[in-house]
Each structure stands twice: as structure tokens, then as C-alpha cells.
Amino acid sequence: DTGVSQNPRHKITKRGQNVTFRCDPISEHNRLYWYRQTLGQGPEFLTYFQNEAQLEKSRLLSDRFSAERPKGSFSTLEIQRTEQGDSAMYLCASSLEDGGYTFGSGTRLTVV
Amino acid sequence: AQSVTQLGSHVSVSEGALVLLRCNYSSSVPPYLFWYVQYPNQGLQLLLKYTSAATLVKGINGFEAEFKKSETSFHLTKPSAHMSDAAEYFCAVTINNRKLIWGLGTSLAVNP
């Protein structure tokens, strides 16, 4: 297992288009998290799964954002009708229940 | 509510000098605390974590941190800075071992 994998690494999209990102966690990790990071800031929590259940969702996540984790394995984060303010690095992490999150390399989204 | 404050958004040291990056937290219950490092255009790498065991925690790359409950601090240190230590460092706290609450980060520059 090579860690948390995120695809794509970079995505450039036109405003108004939909985008979907994928995260493949470490296989034995039952927890999966999505964070967003803008330049010069720390990551902001978006949502969290334990197995396939989405247990918490930040108020930062508007109705245009949705995340899924079917079968408790990989996860997808979809953004509909993208806006320029959505431009950021989207980070995925996974963990066991004792913390020590492992992060992926992130997907950098640029909305033009 | 939990929060993390990193004192000093930019720290500059000479190669071979002591590195000290400050982190103070706010929590009403015993926290788990983490330090992560981020190199440009990369994801976050766990340096070390405190999970209520030993108060002095040793991490990777020669870094260590000491949990001081009386001072609500978890400062990161390294005896001798190396050029490769130049990066962004983030302190984070979790209470329920779910989402991480992050500091704004400290950019470390190492001068030859």
C-alpha cells in the first residue's frame, strides 16, 4: 500500500462546470476526511466518513458540494457549478481510530 | 470550541541553529495534538503526534515536541536546522479524534 492516493493532481475548469475528485485511502483505514486549503492558510475541514457513513459535514460545504464513500473504500468529492472561489487544494486523509491521519498529495483546482 | 494558535507566521534560522516553532491550543478536554509539515505543492506529512502518553514526543527528521498542559502548549523543536527543513509547518488539534482543527501555519526559512 503506497498511502493515500488522490486523482487528478491538477484540474483546471471553466466556471459553471462540474468537477469530481477521487481519493483512495489506505486500505485498512476506516476513516476518511476531506479538507480544503487555500494559499497561505491552514486546511479547512469539509467532511468526514467512518466506513461508508458520512458522519459530519462542515457548514463550509454548500449545496454544490457532495461527497460519497460507497462501500467504505474510495471516496469522491463533487463540486457542481464551480465558482472562482472554489479554487483551492482539496486534500484527502485517512486514519484509524487513534488519529495519525495520512494525507494524500491533494488535487489542485483552478476555476477560470 | 477548540482552537490552535501558531505564534509567528514566518520564522528564519541559520543552518545548524535551534528550530523552535510555537503552538498553543485551547481545549476544555484533553486533546490529541499533531505537527505536520508541508513542502511546496505537496500534501501534509505527519511529523509527530501527542495522544496522552509521554509528554515529550519524538518525530521524524529529528523533530520533537513537548506537551505542557499548564501552558497549553505543544511547541516543536529541532536542535540543529538543515536546509531541507525549509517548509510550512502546521499544528493541529483534535478532541473527538475526528476532524482536525488547524493553526494558520508557520513558514520556516533556513539560511546558509
Side-chain angles (χ1 to χ4, degrees):
Chain A
D1 194 341
T2 56
V4 178
S5 176
Q6 289 189 248
N7 289 288
R9 289 294 307 275
H10 303 276
K11 179 70 176 179
I12 300 173
T13 190
K14 292 183 178 180
R15 189 172 50 186
Q17 297 294 306
N18 299 343
V19 294
T20 300
F21 310 140
R22 177 177 170 126
C23 173
D24 288 273
I26 292 174
S27 56
E28 58 265 31
H29 286 182
N30 59 344
R31 296 186 174 185
L32 186 146
Y33 314 79
W34 285 99
Y35 289 83
R36 180 174 65 188
Q37 186 180 24
T38 53
L39 199 62
Q41 300 292 319
E44 297 172 294
F45 171 78
L46 294 179
T47 190
Y48 149 68
F49 291 84
Q50 179 148 327
N51 301 313
E52 67 276 9
Q54 188 174 21
L55 297 186
E56 189 169 351
K57 186 175 175 180
S58 167
R59 281 175 287 184
L60 291 174
L61 237 58
S62 73
D63 291 343
R64 297 184 297 105
F65 287 72
S66 62
E68 295 182 342
R69 192 184 183 196
K71 302 178 184 178
S73 56
F74 72 92
S75 176
T76 58
L77 177 68
E78 181 183 16
I79 309 174
Q80 297 182 326
R81 306 182 302 282
T82 52
E83 301 172 357
Q84 286 190 321
D86 297 331
S87 296
M89 176 78 87
Y90 289 84
L91 296 164
C92 176
S94 68
S95 78
L96 295 170
E97 294 188 8
D98 67 343
Y101 309 72
T102 301
F103 280 83
S105 297
T107 294
R108 181 167 295 284
L109 173 66
T110 303
V111 181
V112 297
Chain B
Q2 301 80 43
S3 66
V4 173
T5 302
Q6 290 185 240
L7 298 174
S9 58
H10 298 277
V11 171
S12 182
V13 301
S14 298
E15 192 174 17
L18 171 71
V19 175
L20 171 61
L21 304 182
R22 299 177 187 274
C23 173
N24 288 88
Y25 69 92
S26 172
S27 171
S28 58
V29 297
Y32 286 7
L33 292 156
F34 304 83
W35 275 100
Y36 281 86
V37 61
Q38 187 174 36
Y39 297 98
N41 297 314
Q42 294 190 27
L44 293 142
Q45 181 182 11
L46 178 66
L47 280 176
L48 47 82
K49 64 178 179 179
Y50 167 76
T51 56
S52 74
T55 56
L56 181 62
V57 181
K58 294 188 183 298
I60 62 171
N61 301 339
F63 285 94
E64 63 182 38
E66 185 172 8
F67 173 70
K68 292 187 177 180
K69 184 178 178 180
S70 61
E71 299 177 8
T72 61
S73 69
F74 191 58
H75 301 331
L76 181 71
T77 60
K78 181 174 180 178
S80 177
H82 192 271
M83 297 295 289
S84 61
D85 294 327
E88 190 84 15
Y89 290 81
F90 291 96
C91 182
V93 62
T94 181
I95 305 303
N96 54 16
N97 207 24
R98 294 182 179 181
K99 64 184 179 183
L100 289 167
I101 307 299
W102 298 82
L104 294 179
T106 298
S107 177
L108 175 66
V110 181
N111 305 310

